[in-house]
Amino acid sequence: MRRAALHPLRSVLAFAALALAACAAPEPNGAAATEAVAQSSGRAAWAETAVPLTGASTDYDALLGAIGDGRFVLLGESTHGTEEYYRERARISERLVRERGFGAVLIEGDWSPTLRVNRYVRGLGSDRSADQALAGYTNFPQWMWPNTAFRDFIERLRTYNLALPPERRVGVYGMDVYDLFEAQEAVIAYLSRVDPAAAGRARSSYRCFAPHNRSTHRYGEAARRASQSCQEEAAAVLAEVRRIPRPSGPAEAEEHFAALRSAASVAAGEEYFRTVYAGSMAWNVRDQHMARNVEETAQHVARQRGGEGKVVVWAHNSHNGDARATFAANRGELNLGQLLRQRHGQDAFLVGFLTYGGRVRAAPEWDQPSRVYDLRPALAGSDADVLRQAGLPAFSLVLRGNQAAEADLGRERLQRAVGVIYAPSTERQSHYFEARLARQFDAIIFVERTNPVTPIR
């Protein structure tokens, strides 16, 4: 979600209370008996399978068991400013790295500033602390990655990495599409070292963007006219980098991959901003590029480490959940979670994060300073309201293969999504949409009361 407020949600339906007819039925048995007993006690049957989160090392045993040999684990968030989401995603990611051989974490961030973080966690570059490594995130929203919870995760990951040989070190990569200009500089710098002639051709191609003075707005407006588009030039540079053979050394291969993804970021950003200003389906362009970044990173990890490439993805629920289980499908929208499920089946494991209330960091308008808001209690009958009825302050719940959960949480309900902007005065219209939770995700993490992230500057 990140770079804009959640778009106004149209066609959101109010839920009518449905009375269940009290009709005679056979004596329940098996799963039906469990559900009947739970309902008679006022607690949903699926709540019996919820695992309380207590901070114990075993909190996520059931979740890792459900993930099994999965290669793509997507960890979501229902806001971009909740401390607990970052903390719990870090805990899960660290176990996947240590116990399941995951080799990369991809985040809903731009490639270039995240490349600086990647070098830091690998023991490369000139930064001497995670605070310094996170200084590259200068664009709005400044709290999304330069916050204390993510910083602490980066420091722990670096400590873990430094005990490993270079080819086994875990990477951190950005997968978003907004890195149109800074990534150009990285491409030219790399080509200047390995192929000066190719660097000259790249400079010539990228001059197409020069009249727009590093403004994505100006480029998008101009690119509405085909004669002003830099699509061919961006694609030509990407093809140029792809022609360079992958080096055999792990450090050199990592730099080659960085240049390749930098060139891909330019091509992705060009298409995205051209599509936005043309009024087309830019959301689909964005998530298709995210999926390509995830898959190519997994391939890179496999070649570096050997075996299967396994990656963790940190992004908003709106990207990581399956769009086919939400209102977005009716709008013709797809997303990252859907694409990975369609292409990789059970190898993709989607985890949603939800909260009932608390506080959240967000901005009132685009490009405005953030503030801490009281997050309103979830609407009655919404997903979070139903999850709260489990009576646990925080828990994980595996949905895949959980019949009781699929039966109840597979029903259509309202779900809240807060991006970088929070509009409490119009929360129902601005932040709620219809979804079928048990079809959208393979598991969920629920924290009843949450707190805001703390920016590091």
Side-chain angles (χ1 to χ4, degrees), residues 225-238:
R225 301 180 295 278
S227 62
Q228 299 296 310
S229 166
C230 298
Q231 179 180 7
E232 293 183 2
E233 288 80 358
V237 177
L238 176 57

Side-chain angles (χ1 to χ4, degrees), residues 128-149:
R128 293 293 173 263
S129 69
D131 285 49
Q132 291 180 1
L134 291 164
Y137 295 99
T138 57
N139 294 328
F140 179 86
Q142 289 85 355
W143 69 90
M144 187 168 167
W145 299 114
N147 62 65
T148 56

